[in-house]
Amino acid sequence: MTGSAVTTVVATRDRASALRRSLARHTGPVIVVDNASGDATPEVAREAGARLIRAPRNLGAAGRNLGAAEADTPYVAFADDDSWWEPGALDHAAAVLDGHPRTALLAARVLVGEEQRLEPVSAEMSRSPLGWPDGLPGRAILGFLACSAVVRRDAFLDVGGFSDVLHFGGEEELLALDLAAAGWGMAYVPELVVHHHPAATGRDRGARRRREVRNRLLTAWLRRPLSALAREAVASARAPDGRAGLGDAVRALPSVARARRPVPRSVELARARLDGY
């Protein structure tokens, strides 16, 4: 297949300058989901020739679901407003997915900044203890970075996409568990490359860590055994900004209390291997 088999979805909010730089690097169809920005984001998207979806409020990562639903291609790639796929990568991804019909998600190798440093998460995926099962185009994974993922659109939408409860920050694990529970495979394919150029300043790392702790705990409640939740809670309490994240998770728990749906044992065993259990 050609690049027209893949639509790139970019969810963004109030980052028009970064979006302008990155949109110039994209090839193929692009959908920009504007999470209720107050800046020039809509104008930047239109000027670049992207399709624009304006969310009524800030949906966070779940804004990507709107873009995927709007796409008219069998595959959807995600990008942040400060990342882009290397030329030719999406053509290759489409060919890989065509040849591996039980694979729902491919994770690319991420190179960071002008120095093209290997993203630590990519290094971790390259050493995944889950091995290389038959029928997968690379090492099996149960997590990924959203900006480096290409998904089979129907599979993504069938499991509900990204959670609207988690917003941003570690939202990928819940989706990975849901895809695995539905019987889909996911693989790290380092031949696919994404370039990520995050801003050096202006990001609150403490707030980010706090959100990640919150979302890791909520994901454990929603899909994992209570023993795994307890381990996560203990580890979180010891981590930087962990107690604040733990408090956030406790406050959010009533909104997801009835949505608990533990994954099949085979999926939990694979997830526990990533934790070293």
Side-chain angles (χ1 to χ4, degrees):
M1 284 188 173
T2 67
S4 62
V6 185
T7 299
T8 301
V9 171
V10 183
T12 185
R13 175 179 166 84
D14 290 333
R15 284 172 49 83
S17 295
L19 184 66
R20 180 177 284 108
R21 289 192 297 271
S22 64
L23 284 181
R25 305 274 192 153
H26 290 297
T27 59
V30 177
I31 295 175
V32 171
V33 181
D34 175 19
N35 270 323
S37 294
D39 66 1
T41 291
E43 291 75 16
V44 168
R46 294 188 186 102
E47 289 168 4
R51 279 189 280 175
L52 175 68
I53 298 175
R54 301 201 70 181
R57 57 185 175 84
N58 185 4
L59 301 175
R64 301 182 185 119
N65 303 345
L66 301 182
E70 180 73 13
D72 52 12
T73 55
Y75 309 125
V76 171
F78 298 113
D80 290 346
D81 49 32
D82 53 11
S83 75
W84 57 88
W85 290 78
E86 187 166 279
L90 295 182
D91 287 354
H92 184 49
V96 171
L97 287 167
D98 284 349
H100 296 83
R102 293 307 303 162
T103 300
L105 182 148
L106 305 178
R109 178 164 48 104
V110 180
L111 302 179
V112 182
E114 297 293 342
E115 304 86 358
Q116 300 196 60
R117 305 182 309 276
L118 181 65
E119 162 64 50
V121 174
S122 296
E124 289 179 18
M125 288 190 290
S126 73
R127 301 187 297 267
S128 170
L130 303 182
W132 193 323
D134 289 343
L136 280 187
R139 281 190 172 273
I141 55 175
L142 268 176
F144 58 95
L145 288 175
C147 72
S148 72
V150 183
V151 298
R152 195 175 297 275
R153 177 180 174 273
D154 289 349
F156 173 82
L157 294 175
D158 284 348
V159 300
F162 289 102
S163 167
D164 59 355
V165 173
L166 301 185
H167 203 68
F168 269 124
E171 70 274 9
E172 296 92 345
E173 183 184 0
L174 182 57
L175 173 60
L177 291 172
D178 285 347
L179 286 169
W184 290 102
M186 291 158 281
Y188 176 58
V189 181
E191 294 81 11
L192 306 175
V193 174
V194 163
H195 296 276
H196 187 202
H197 286 231
T201 60
R203 293 178 182 266
D204 187 336
R205 294 184 180 181
R208 175 77 182 195
R209 289 193 298 265
R210 179 173 174 171
R211 288 198 305 272
E212 288 174 347
V213 168
R214 170 192 182 271
N215 289 344
R216 189 162 58 246
L217 290 167
L218 290 176
T219 296
W221 164 258
L222 287 166
R223 297 292 182 266
R224 304 193 65 193
L226 295 180
S227 57
L229 173 62
R231 289 195 300 269
E232 290 284 4
V234 171
S236 296
R238 298 170 178 166
D241 303 293
R243 292 193 177 186
L246 180 57
D248 292 342
V250 170
R251 284 187 287 275
L253 192 58
S255 66
V256 298
R258 296 187 179 183
R260 179 170 163 78
R261 191 174 68 249
V263 296
R265 178 170 171 77
S266 59
V267 176
E268 173 55 28
L269 287 174
R271 179 62 185 83
R273 286 183 67 188
L274 299 178
D275 289 336
Y277 292 101

